[in-house]
Amino acid sequence: MTELAVPELSLVVLIGASGSGKSTFARRHFLPTQVLSSDVCRGLVSDDENDQAATADAFAVLQFIAATRLRAGKLTVVDATSVRKEDRASLVQLARDHDVLPVAIVFDVPEGVCLERNATRTDRQLDRSVIARQRADLRRGLSGLGREGFRKVHRLGSVDEVESAVISYERAYNDLRSETGPFDVVGDVHGCRAELEQLLGRLGYTVTRDEQGRAVDAVPLAGRRAVFLGDLVDRGPDSPGVLRLVMGMVRAGHALCVPGNHEDKLVKALRGRDVQVTHGLETTLAQLAEESEEFRADVADFCHGLVSHYVLDGGALVVAHAGLTEELQGRASGRVRSFALYGDTTGETDEFGLPVRYPWAQDYRGRAMVLYGHTPVPEPEWVNNTMCLDTGCVFGGRLTALRYPERELVDVPAERTWYEPARPFPTDAEPAPERPAEVLDVADVLGKRTVETRLSGRVTVREENAAAAIEVMSRFALAPQQLAYLPPTMSPVATSAREDLLEHPAEAFSYYRGEGVAEVVCQEKHMGSRAVALVRRADATGDPGRPVGERGALYTRTGRAFLGAELTTAFLARLATAVTDAGVFDELDSDWVLLDGELLPWSVKAGDLVRDQYASVGAAARGALPVAVDVLTRAAGRGLDVGALLDRQRTRAADAQAFTDAYRRYCWPTDGLTGTAFAAFQLLGAAGRTFADRPHAWHLSIADRLAAADPELLRSTASHVLDVTDPAAEQAATEWWTALTADGGEGMVVKPAGNLTRGRRGVVQPGLKVRGREYLRLVYGPDYTAPANLVRLRERNLGRKRGLALREYALGLEGLERLARGEPMWRVHECVFAVLALESEPVDPRL
């Protein structure tokens, strides 16, 4: 058996003459989607796989598909003869362009085998001279494949070797996604051994020393691991001591380490390469001269073997000395290593003769957190989910580490300034130039996008939905900085089988019981419009995360303002007073809170809709139907057979009156804030915190405290808790719903009592709305209760609506969690925008 090792992400080039067995081998060992055949591509462009005139176009198609796959991180196999160096050159370049390794599998089988197989082919016959020429080209270039750029070359020299070959896949050296931490990521040390030992002590590591008292290891707290970001050496007082400690930690499994540009130069110097002995390298070489030859060789081997960067924790964390853009993460090429070691420079130098570096972090939009060093900063700060941890210890600053995933910074001060930098190191007295303020870029949201959520993985936003959302967001919504959250759509309960009802609580209870969720809470559904209120303490001085505004914001499910500016200010002032009086600001130690609720009455938001769509229908029906009933009644009195038609018109008139009564219950006069009310039912977030893990009883208790503080403006939300495995409790809750809806009340929402809950099939619906019989007239029309209409409506499909509700729920929570972690505004807005975009999904709006 011949084992052929292939990197998981690579471009595999099958090389061999026609008839050597490449296509059969490809079918046996690779997925059909992984293999790109030149013959198939020739057929795609000409309808004839043997049309040699179409070869140029066929290879253009093949290279385009291969480039698309490699860009997406997919293993790609090219099945073509590729026996000439010039044919292979374009494929090697393709691999380099996408920072993957090119691998050659050579089918060097005897010429007679190729001729014999060619003779049995029915689709085409090649002249013997063609195969002889291909074999000659193959043999001529066989020894130079490594020099051409192929990182692995597998030669199969016989039919038996081809038949016995098996493919094994190698994970990239930088692929440590299975390592989940927790980690302690340490910035540039630059020979500051004493500060490193002190920092490790603060992180909870126990330093181990050899018989000479030198630190040779540091044992972490259980489960933790250190990660060093490179530049261990140069400029500082004890580079050998730092190397001895870090090398011991790495070999003991207590640490990981990536190389810095200073290690790169040190290896070259130790191996006799021509390098400039500057920027502290001369100090390290002098210090290493006092060490043994064996230690110097060990250092050279250790630093040479360091991997350019690591992808950790399932892809959530990337560590590289100078950082790494998203498209380079997990890849392997000279370009990747160069960026990881030196960053991206503009090609210019500053007044100190140092390269001007491109601020890649300001444009970073990747999913992974990137921790790096290389360019010293006075204070670590988050920039688009990246952070530089080089705080200039060797220049008299500090040595800094970040605890991951806790995001806690730990640092120790430098004992002294060990090295005067070429460029003055910024201090508190000389602040570093501020990065440009965070701004949104339309490229962050337009086009087809996927948003990574903790709750539901990747959520896809289609291009056409994003285009619709940008129209709403740019023309009608509040400023994005004020929109920290948009509420998700809510799925209705499954359709009831009862003759006279479309929705009933029994189906909601059955759903949660089926998911293994026993305790649920039923919440009154207010006769208003879904609203989100961001409210700040009257004397707030801090920045409430990304939401900004003088007093806060009050907005609809699509991010539009509910009230005019003056009335909004008055509303938020009273709400802030109520939150203060209820002690919520103090309890949460926050200057702001984000509340989910309903603004009443419905006519505050939907006054025009009520007048144009509902009142007009009701008025027309009330004007026409009584006249029709009167005419038919007189006709019946004259003995005409109009009984069935009269009954129908009487029913329609009664339905029209019920329809009118239904919408009138949701409308009442308001004067400023008089008559207006806000019913909160959930506390979404506060400074540095979210509350999806708190049971609904806690949220409702907060709402009750707010209502007690200002009963004229704020309302409580009535609720009923039950165990869905108890038939008596279920009956009591059903009777409660019946009473709520008897007079036209909208109904209730049934939720897991524990709030965010996973059931037997994953995350369960956060709520199911169970609407009343009379309220549904506003949704489906005055005469929806007619038996024929109910039969038709029972066929409504809820699957898409339920899927949409869960995706929007996951996006909403993801945005809140990003806000709580202090992530950049564009990261929060990405989730908010995605919820708005999903509202354009083709889902029945009546559901």
Side-chain angles (χ1 to χ4, degrees):
M1 180 179 71
T2 304
E3 183 175 324
L4 311 182
V6 172
E8 288 182 339
L9 175 55
S10 58
L11 178 66
V12 180
V13 181
L14 307 184
I15 303 172
S18 297
S20 60
K22 301 184 304 301
S23 299
T24 302
F25 182 90
R27 286 192 297 270
R28 181 185 304 153
H29 294 286
F30 300 103
L31 297 174
T33 52
Q34 294 174 325
V35 180
L36 303 179
S37 164
S38 59
D39 289 344
V40 171
C41 289
R42 200 176 286 113
L44 288 175
V45 299
S46 70
D47 292 331
D48 182 0
E49 292 188 0
N50 298 317
D51 183 1
Q52 298 302 309
T55 296
D57 289 338
F59 273 90
V61 169
L62 185 149
Q63 293 226 357
F64 175 80
I65 299 174
T68 303
R69 286 184 57 84
L70 294 175
R71 194 160 48 245
K74 302 295 183 182
L75 175 78
T76 302
V77 181
V78 175
D79 176 14
T81 54
S82 299
V83 292
R84 298 188 307 166
K85 180 179 179 180
E86 53 266 36
D87 294 335
R88 297 188 294 268
S90 62
L91 296 175
V92 171
Q93 187 59 49
L94 183 66
R96 287 174 176 163
D97 290 344
H98 293 86
D99 304 289
V100 301
L101 298 178
V103 176
I105 300 180
V106 182
F107 294 77
D108 189 18
V109 300
E111 183 175 331
V113 172
C114 299
L115 291 170
E116 181 181 347
R117 289 173 175 171
N118 180 63
T120 62
R121 296 187 65 163
T122 58
D123 57 337
R124 70 165 178 255
Q125 295 287 323
L126 294 179
D127 189 89
R128 295 175 64 94
S129 63
V130 172
I131 295 177
R133 184 172 64 251
Q134 290 177 348
R135 283 278 302 156
D137 288 338
L138 171 68
R139 301 295 297 174
R140 189 178 304 113
L142 189 57
S143 62
L145 291 175
R147 293 190 296 275
E148 290 178 21
F150 286 98
R151 295 293 293 272
K152 285 181 176 290
V153 178
H154 300 294
R155 176 183 171 274
L156 301 174
S158 68
V159 173
D160 288 342
E161 286 187 6
V162 173
E163 292 296 324
S164 65
V166 295
I167 299 292
S168 65
Y169 291 100
E170 297 177 334
R171 299 188 70 171
Y173 292 137
N174 55 44
D175 184 358
L176 293 184
R177 288 173 294 177
S178 58
E179 297 284 346
T180 58
F183 301 110
D184 301 305
V185 186
V186 181
D188 299 28
V189 182
H190 279 302
C192 299
R193 178 193 51 77
E195 289 89 339
L196 176 57
E197 290 187 26
Q198 184 182 356
L199 178 64
L200 290 172
R202 287 202 58 191
L203 291 168
Y205 289 67
T206 302
V207 175
T208 303
R209 302 185 184 277
D210 62 11
E211 61 279 2
Q212 297 174 258
R214 301 175 300 188
V216 294
D217 191 8
V219 181
L221 296 173
R224 302 197 71 87
R225 202 172 188 186
V227 180
F228 293 96
L229 292 175
D231 276 7
L232 305 173
V233 301
D234 293 352
R235 298 173 173 158
D238 191 2
S239 290
V242 172
L243 286 166
R244 185 176 287 107
L245 174 55
V246 173
M247 288 162 58
M249 292 180 68
V250 170
R251 288 165 179 167
H254 297 148
L256 299 169
C257 184
V258 295
N261 55 300
H262 285 263
E263 281 77 48
D264 187 51
K265 289 185 65 177
L266 176 61
V267 170
K268 294 174 182 176
L270 290 176
R271 296 193 168 178
R273 301 272 297 277
D274 185 20
V275 296
Q276 290 186 343
V277 184
T278 56
H279 301 301
L281 178 58
E282 67 283 358
T283 304
T284 300
L285 292 176
Q287 292 167 355
L288 285 173
E290 303 297 320
E291 302 288 337
S292 67
E293 180 64 32
E294 181 183 12
F295 181 76
R296 290 194 294 274
D298 195 19
V299 166
D301 290 342
F302 173 79
C303 293
H304 178 72
L306 295 176
V307 179
S308 66
H309 71 285
Y310 285 122
V311 180
L312 302 160
D313 194 18
L317 174 64
V318 170
V319 292
H321 174 63
L324 207 60
T325 56
E326 184 178 28
E327 64 271 16
L328 299 181
Q329 293 167 10
R331 307 278 174 143
S333 69
R335 177 169 60 171
V336 172
R337 184 171 179 84
S338 176
F339 196 112
L341 290 177
Y342 295 94
D344 191 10
T345 61
T346 65
E348 303 169 312
T349 56
D350 61 16
E351 65 270 31
F352 305 104
L354 299 176
V356 177
R357 306 193 187 283
Y358 182 76
W360 64 272
Q362 293 181 15
D363 297 324
Y364 182 71
R365 294 296 185 269
R367 180 180 73 88
M369 177 193 299
V370 180
L371 299 179
Y372 65 103
H374 190 50
T375 305
V377 295
E379 293 287 342
E381 61 176 311
W382 290 107
V383 179
N384 295 332
N385 207 27
T386 77
M387 179 176 277
C388 177
L389 295 176
D390 180 3
T391 47
C393 182
V394 76
F395 302 132
R398 289 168 295 161
L399 184 60
T400 299
L402 178 89
R403 293 184 186 272
Y404 175 92
E406 299 89 342
R407 291 182 169 232
E408 175 190 350
L409 287 167
V410 180
D411 61 62
V412 297
E415 291 186 353
R416 48 167 285 192
T417 298
W418 297 105
Y419 191 90
E420 291 295 338
R423 181 193 295 120
F425 181 65
T427 64
D428 292 338
E430 301 176 37
E434 291 185 5
R435 290 184 173 93
E438 291 178 342
V439 294
L440 295 177
D441 186 337
V442 72
D444 292 339
V445 293
L446 283 185
K448 181 180 178 181
R449 302 188 61 78
T450 57
V451 181
E452 198 75 29
T453 68
R454 178 182 62 83
L455 204 60
S456 297
R458 292 185 173 183
V459 176
T460 300
V461 177
R462 296 190 296 180
E463 182 175 5
E464 58 269 30
N465 293 351
I470 200 68
E471 175 78 5
V472 173
M473 187 69 73
S474 59
R475 294 185 60 192
F476 307 112
L478 296 176
Q481 292 87 343
Q482 293 179 283
L483 302 177
Y485 175 84
L486 288 181
T489 190
M490 184 172 293
S491 176
V493 71
T495 305
S496 174
R498 290 166 175 77
E499 290 184 2
D500 60 337
L501 292 176
L502 201 58
E503 297 180 4
H504 188 271
E507 281 68 35
F509 303 148
S510 176
Y511 166 78
Y512 287 116
R513 189 165 52 245
E515 288 288 346
V517 179
E519 189 176 45
V520 301
V521 58
C522 305
Q523 295 181 3
E524 169 192 7
K525 208 167 188 310
H526 295 279
M527 297 187 291
S529 304
R530 189 77 174 268
V532 176
L534 165 67
V535 57
R536 299 186 65 180
R537 189 197 295 263
D539 59 351
T541 57
D543 178 8
R546 298 300 156 242
V548 295
E550 190 170 330
R551 295 305 300 267
L554 177 68
Y555 55 88
T556 70
R557 280 197 62 237
T558 55
R560 308 183 192 203
F562 264 110
L563 310 171
E566 184 176 344
L567 202 55
T568 298
T569 299
F571 173 88
L572 292 171
R574 282 184 61 178
L575 182 55
T577 299
V579 177
T580 301
D581 293 346
V584 176
F585 284 134
D586 290 336
E587 180 180 321
L588 301 178
D589 191 23
S590 175
D591 280 349
W592 61 273
V593 295
L594 194 65
L595 297 166
D596 196 359
E598 293 263 338
L599 190 70
L600 289 76
W602 184 38
S603 51
V604 169
K605 171 193 173 188
D608 292 340
L609 180 68
V610 172
R611 283 188 293 273
D612 298 340
Q613 182 168 318
Y614 293 95
S616 58
V617 171
R622 294 194 311 277
L625 291 174
V627 174
V629 170
D630 180 61
V631 170
L632 290 170
T633 300
R634 285 188 277 115
R638 293 198 302 270
L640 296 177
D641 184 14
V642 294
L645 183 57
L646 176 58
D647 289 344
R648 181 184 173 196
Q649 296 307 310
R650 284 173 174 166
T651 300
R652 292 183 67 196
D655 287 344
Q657 186 58 51
F659 174 80
T660 302
D661 293 342
Y663 72 72
R664 282 177 174 170
R665 293 187 185 96
Y666 294 81
C667 308
W668 56 79
T670 60
D671 182 11
L673 293 183
T674 302
T676 302
F678 180 67
F681 51 76
Q682 188 163 205
L683 180 58
L684 296 166
R689 303 168 70 182
T690 63
F691 304 102
D693 58 337
R694 301 288 183 93
H696 282 292
W698 179 84
H699 291 269
L700 293 175
S701 70
I702 296 287
D704 289 342
R705 288 160 55 186
L706 297 180
D710 190 343
E712 291 184 1
L713 181 66
L714 305 175
R715 291 191 181 182
S716 296
T717 296
S719 63
H720 188 98
V721 180
L722 73 145
D723 184 339
V724 295
T725 64
D726 181 355
E730 186 174 325
Q731 179 61 32
T734 301
E735 291 172 357
W736 184 73
W737 173 82
T738 302
L740 282 176
T741 59
D743 294 328
E746 183 171 347
M748 69 182 184
V749 180
V750 184
K751 303 177 179 180
N755 208 343
L756 174 58
T757 303
R758 293 188 180 273
R760 294 192 173 105
R761 289 169 291 185
V763 177
V764 302
Q765 289 288 342
L768 293 174
K769 55 187 178 184
V770 188
R771 297 166 290 185
R773 184 175 186 270
E774 294 306 311
Y775 170 81
L776 285 173
R777 291 187 192 278
L778 302 181
V779 178
Y780 291 108
D783 58 352
Y784 91 99
T785 53
N789 290 337
L790 280 175
V791 169
R792 177 173 50 82
L793 290 173
R794 291 188 200 286
E795 297 177 359
R796 60 184 189 164
N797 187 345
L798 302 179
R800 179 168 290 187
K801 178 74 169 185
R802 287 192 167 183
L804 181 64
L806 283 175
R807 283 181 287 155
E808 291 187 1
Y809 177 57
L811 287 166
L813 291 188
E814 179 67 23
L816 289 173
E817 290 172 0
R818 292 180 181 184
L819 173 68
R821 291 194 295 263
E823 294 193 22
M825 183 182 70
W826 73 266
R827 289 272 294 166
V828 178
H829 184 64
E830 179 183 45
C831 301
V832 175
F833 185 88
V835 173
L836 185 60
L838 289 183
E839 283 297 297
S840 300
E841 286 281 319
V843 175
D844 186 346
R846 301 171 300 175
L847 294 177

